[in-house]
Amino acid sequence: MKFNIALLAGDGIGPEVTEQAIKALDAIADVYDHTFKFTKALVGACAIDATGNPLPDDTIELCKASDAVLFGAIGHPKYDNDPSAKVRPEQGLLKLRKSLGLFCNIRPVKAYERLIENSPLKKEIISGTDISIYRELTGGIYFGDKHLSEDGQVASDGCSYSVAEITRIAHLAFKEAQNRRKKLTLVDKANVLETSRLWRKTVTEIAKEYDDVELDFLFVDNAAMQMILNPSQFDVILTENLFGDIISDEASVIGGSIGLLASASVGSTVGMFEPIHGSFPQATGKNIANPLASILSAAMMLRHLDLHKEADAIENAVEKSLELGITTGDINPKKAFTTTKVGDFIADYITHPD
Amino acid sequence: MKFNIALLAGDGIGPEVTEQAIKALDAIADVYDHTFKFTKALVGACAIDATGNPLPDDTIELCKASDAVLFGAIGHPKYDNDPSAKVRPEQGLLKLRKSLGLFCNIRPVKAYERLIENSPLKKEIISGTDISIYRELTGGIYFGDKHLSEDGQVASDGCSYSVAEITRIAHLAFKEAQNRRKKLTLVDKANVLETSRLWRKTVTEIAKEYDDVELDFLFVDNAAMQMILNPSQFDVILTENLFGDIISDEASVIGGSIGLLASASVGSTVGMFEPIHGSFPQATGKNIANPLASILSAAMMLRHLDLHKEADAIENAVEKSLELGITTGDINPKKAFTTTKVGDFIADYITHPD
Ligand SMILES: [Mg+2]
Ligand SMILES: [Mg+2]
């Protein structure tokens, strides 16, 4: 099959890690007889430098016309250190999510046996953890009405959710649970918040359409505890925007390997796939950045395109690289391979497994 | 000196653990020549049973006329399992906080060397952790306007904060930092929320009055990560209601010993001191509940009454009980002492240290 992939490598280490993901996808194309047509476009600081706009219209058009968007990272210190900057790289990402209607952020959290020693948690706590977090991305308090009284004495933020907003992401999460261990945990604060009660009511209603999935509920403060006490109890977690931000970032560190964490943002149309790490300016151009998160983002993309055995092939290659210790210095400082060497190994292993 | 203490032992294991705290305070009275006059009053399920009201007016009056309130726990399964119950034990606690103007919840989190093996985190991560979390307790989204549209399709919650609400708790937190390691971390989400920006602006302004305290800022999602990656970096944490709920519950499990966690709720007048554990109905009357959180709540009370060496004496006795393994079964199932035996040891050690 043929797929058009929009390639938004972005800033910092974005281009060099994305290049390794492309190598992996090219190997997949060879072995499984697909064609991936990659088209590059600008986003972030590099787009501001070239056009003055962190998300040029051309880029939006390209994404909309593609089957998927492979994203690198954005951000540059020259904008972080300039509070007066009116145009910021990050605006490109927010506008892109909005333009593409990406209302659902998906973050897998997995404890790789080979990396378990890197976790701040004890081995017996983290072992077996394999979570998929579904976070609502375009509603809630982050996008509510903001207000500051004229005298500057009182500030307010509004949080609201509609049944329609909850319904569309709930279906995605239930379907994911059906493809996994058939358990869905809704994280909310329904004992206090009206929006949480609407989430609980709506999700309980939708659960009737998925009677093979076990649904349970957890208050967000308790979820923050359970994520540390017993993370392997979770399968799919569904939650609203703010709670998802906190819980998914908390979960991201328990695996002990941020350099391996991929994410997807999906919605009504094309999906976008990206590592959760940022543009890491200090490492740019040094060939030391860990490409595995970008490579695993490509695997998430394949799964989203319904290419499941192809996604498995990439994930197996990543497991193999961990097993053999063919990894960058963030994982094993004593024996560090370069970004390109890790990428080459993954592509080779896809072409010639064992 | 003479102090009037309102004793609200409450439900479940509340009375039996509070009794051990009283033993410790009686020993303190003997050694340091104070008088603690304890007056009992009803709150929670036992108050509903006796009067129909989870917080009788007598109880409020007693608390207001006292120097401090020593609180046990509330809650009974017969109310939890009856969703139609109009009167609930928990209402007693919320109303009491409101009646006494308790706008600041204080939660210490400490890694006791003797218990560090019980933590889900690795020893080298948790070692040295000693945090005091200041959570705003009467504002923010938990107390905002709640709304559900007539057709049930849209729910909303309002979050608001005033400079006055932020200022009064900020001063308490800065003063605590001055008495500790002189570092204050404000946890907010100022890159997104208007209320957070008001917190940051107000706290930055107040910091000028405490130039011996180092102030820094952390977004709540990052704070949830840092609490796991490097908890010993924190001294005093200051934050709003919802973020404080999540972060303090997350922090409560990293020490590995919930049975030792005390808390204080303070405000404009009398302070209230209580263990964070609940009424634990399954253990009620079995003489197995861990009294150390209640005993450490009494120590927090003494510190609040400016009796610092007296508070130290209780805390030293608790450390000694851990060192000698004179603890309940939740800490060491292989060698479990009873609630009363632990209480007796603490009181004895206060009277005859070493
Ligand atoms: Mg975040
Ligand atoms: Mg809580």
Side-chain angles (χ1 to χ4, degrees):
Chain A
M1 291 173 75
K2 190 180 166 195
F3 300 92
N4 294 309
I5 311 295
L7 205 64
L8 276 57
D11 306 321
I13 61 169
E16 49 199 287
V17 295
T18 307
E19 204 177 298
Q20 313 314 312
I22 293 170
K23 279 185 201 165
L25 289 167
D26 283 340
I28 292 288
D30 262 4
V31 175
Y32 296 90
D33 203 21
H34 299 301
T35 306
F36 298 112
K37 180 167 174 260
F38 298 103
T39 310
K40 288 186 184 179
L42 294 171
V43 68
C46 62
I48 299 176
D49 292 346
T51 72
N53 183 348
L55 183 69
D57 291 345
D58 287 358
T59 300
I60 302 178
E61 289 318 309
L62 171 71
C63 292
K64 284 187 176 167
S66 300
D67 296 301
V69 180
L70 196 59
F71 195 95
I74 54 173
H76 192 282
K78 75 178 164 192
Y79 296 96
D80 296 339
N81 301 330
D82 177 8
S84 71
K86 285 251 159 64
V87 182
R88 294 172 171 283
E90 291 74 14
Q91 291 165 342
L93 182 56
L94 293 176
K95 197 174 157 199
L96 187 57
R97 282 180 184 163
K98 201 169 170 168
S99 306
L100 301 181
L102 304 175
F103 59 78
C104 173
N105 186 252
I106 307 170
R107 291 257 290 253
V109 174
K110 194 172 162 179
Y112 290 93
E113 284 300 322
R114 295 275 159 183
L115 298 181
I116 223 160
E117 300 295 339
N118 293 355
S119 174
L121 270 65
K122 289 178 181 160
K123 190 174 171 164
E124 63 271 26
I125 299 278
I126 187 77
S127 185
T129 296
D130 183 357
I131 311 174
S132 184
I133 303 177
Y134 275 59
R135 166 189 171 193
E136 204 289 328
L137 203 56
T138 55
I141 199 167
Y142 287 3
F143 292 90
D145 286 335
K146 288 159 199 351
H147 190 256
L148 182 65
S149 66
E150 256 178 49
D151 62 2
Q153 292 299 300
V154 181
S156 65
D157 293 282
C159 176
S160 92
Y161 268 109
S162 70
V163 170
E165 285 175 299
I166 299 165
T167 300
R168 61 187 184 178
I169 187 173
H171 281 292
L172 296 181
F174 273 108
K175 280 174 191 144
E176 173 85 340
Q178 282 185 321
N179 288 327
R180 290 171 45 102
R181 302 193 308 279
K182 301 188 172 42
K183 193 179 155 187
L184 180 71
T185 302
L186 177 67
V187 169
D188 64 24
K189 189 72 183 179
N191 53 343
V192 186
L193 301 180
E194 197 65 40
T195 44
S196 285
R197 285 189 277 268
L198 190 62
W199 271 85
R200 202 172 270 216
K201 184 164 177 276
T202 306
V203 170
T204 302
E205 198 56 39
I206 292 168
K208 293 177 189 161
E209 299 172 42
Y210 300 90
D211 58 9
D212 54 338
V213 176
E214 179 199 338
L215 171 66
D216 66 3
F217 308 99
L218 211 53
F219 295 141
V220 60
D221 47 337
N222 192 8
M225 296 167 62
Q226 295 300 323
M227 188 59 73
I228 300 174
L229 289 174
N230 184 15
S232 67
Q233 73 184 285
F234 296 113
D235 180 13
V236 177
I237 290 177
L238 169 64
T239 190
E240 58 97 75
N241 201 344
L242 167 64
F243 297 162
D245 189 10
I246 298 171
I247 294 293
S248 64
D249 281 348
E250 179 187 358
S252 72
V253 298
I254 63 174
S257 48
I258 282 209
L260 259 77
L261 291 178
S263 77
S265 297
V266 304
S268 18
T269 58
V270 61
M272 186 165 99
F273 303 86
E274 56 177 315
I276 74 156
H277 62 64
S279 58
F280 199 12
Q282 314 91 297
T284 305
K286 293 186 181 158
N287 204 10
I288 58 173
N290 189 342
L292 293 180
S294 184
I295 290 167
L296 287 168
S297 298
M300 284 188 88
M301 183 184 86
L302 294 179
R303 219 172 274 292
H304 195 68
L305 297 171
D306 254 326
L307 304 179
H308 294 280
K309 65 179 185 312
E310 292 85 342
D312 289 343
I314 292 188
E315 286 170 4
N316 290 340
V318 169
E319 293 263 10
K320 196 70 182 181
S321 78
L322 297 174
E323 194 185 316
L324 299 177
I326 299 171
T327 51
T328 44
D330 52 310
I331 288 179
N332 185 0
K334 285 183 202 139
K335 199 177 171 202
F337 288 78
T338 62
T339 306
T340 45
K341 272 270 189 287
V342 174
D344 290 342
F345 171 82
I346 299 289
D348 269 1
Y349 190 81
I350 290 167
T351 316
H352 311 287
D354 297 320
Chain B
M1 292 173 75
K2 190 180 167 197
F3 300 92
N4 293 310
I5 310 295
L7 205 64
L8 277 56
D11 306 321
I13 61 169
E16 49 200 287
V17 295
T18 308
E19 204 176 299
Q20 313 313 313
I22 294 170
K23 280 184 201 166
L25 289 167
D26 282 340
I28 292 288
D30 263 5
V31 175
Y32 296 89
D33 204 20
H34 298 303
T35 306
F36 298 112
K37 182 168 172 257
F38 298 103
T39 310
K40 289 186 186 179
L42 295 171
V43 69
C46 62
I48 299 177
D49 292 346
T51 72
N53 184 347
L55 183 69
D57 291 346
D58 287 359
T59 301
I60 302 177
E61 290 317 309
L62 171 71
C63 291
K64 284 187 175 168
S66 300
D67 297 301
V69 179
L70 196 59
F71 195 95
I74 54 172
H76 192 282
K78 74 179 165 193
Y79 297 96
D80 296 340
N81 301 329
D82 177 7
S84 71
K86 286 251 159 65
V87 183
R88 294 173 172 282
E90 291 75 14
Q91 291 166 343
L93 182 57
L94 293 176
K95 195 173 158 200
L96 187 58
R97 283 179 184 162
K98 203 172 168 169
S99 305
L100 301 181
L102 305 174
F103 58 78
C104 173
N105 186 252
I106 308 169
R107 292 256 291 252
V109 174
K110 194 172 163 178
Y112 289 94
E113 283 300 321
R114 295 277 158 183
L115 298 180
I116 222 160
E117 300 295 339
N118 293 355
S119 174
L121 270 65
K122 289 178 181 161
K123 190 173 172 163
E124 64 271 24
I125 298 278
I126 187 78
S127 185
T129 296
D130 183 357
I131 311 174
S132 184
I133 303 177
Y134 274 59
R135 166 189 171 193
E136 204 288 329
L137 204 55
T138 54
I141 200 168
Y142 287 3
F143 292 90
D145 286 335
K146 289 162 199 347
H147 191 257
L148 181 66
S149 66
E150 256 177 49
D151 62 2
Q153 292 298 303
V154 181
S156 65
D157 293 283
C159 176
S160 92
Y161 269 108
S162 70
V163 170
E165 285 174 300
I166 299 165
T167 300
R168 62 187 184 178
I169 187 173
H171 281 294
L172 297 181
F174 274 109
K175 281 175 190 143
E176 172 85 339
Q178 283 185 319
N179 288 327
R180 290 171 46 102
R181 302 193 309 278
K182 300 187 172 42
K183 192 180 156 189
L184 180 71
T185 302
L186 177 67
V187 169
D188 65 24
K189 189 74 184 178
N191 53 343
V192 186
L193 301 180
E194 197 65 40
T195 45
S196 285
R197 286 188 277 268
L198 190 62
W199 272 86
R200 202 171 272 215
K201 184 164 177 274
T202 306
V203 170
T204 302
E205 198 55 40
I206 292 168
K208 294 176 189 162
E209 300 173 42
Y210 301 90
D211 58 10
D212 53 337
V213 176
E214 178 199 338
L215 171 65
D216 66 3
F217 308 98
L218 211 54
F219 295 141
V220 60
D221 48 336
N222 192 9
M225 296 167 62
Q226 295 300 324
M227 188 58 73
I228 300 174
L229 289 174
N230 183 15
S232 67
Q233 74 184 283
F234 295 113
D235 180 13
V236 177
I237 290 177
L238 169 63
T239 190
E240 59 97 74
N241 201 345
L242 167 64
F243 297 163
D245 189 10
I246 298 171
I247 294 294
S248 64
D249 280 349
E250 179 187 357
S252 73
V253 299
I254 64 174
S257 49
I258 281 209
L260 260 77
L261 291 178
S263 78
S265 297
V266 303
S268 20
T269 58
V270 62
M272 186 166 98
F273 304 85
E274 56 176 315
I276 74 156
H277 62 64
S279 58
F280 199 11
Q282 314 89 298
T284 305
K286 293 187 181 161
N287 204 11
I288 58 173
N290 189 343
L292 293 180
S294 183
I295 290 168
L296 287 168
S297 299
M300 283 188 88
M301 181 183 86
L302 295 178
R303 219 172 275 290
H304 196 69
L305 296 170
D306 255 326
L307 304 179
H308 294 280
K309 64 179 186 309
E310 292 84 342
D312 289 343
I314 291 188
E315 287 171 3
N316 290 340
V318 169
E319 293 263 12
K320 196 70 183 181
S321 77
L322 297 175
E323 193 184 317
L324 299 177
I326 299 170
T327 52
T328 44
D330 53 309
I331 288 179
N332 185 359
K334 285 183 203 140
K335 199 177 170 200
F337 289 77
T338 62
T339 307
T340 46
K341 273 271 190 284
V342 175
D344 290 341
F345 171 83
I346 299 289
D348 270 1
Y349 189 81
I350 291 167
T351 316
H352 311 286
D354 297 320

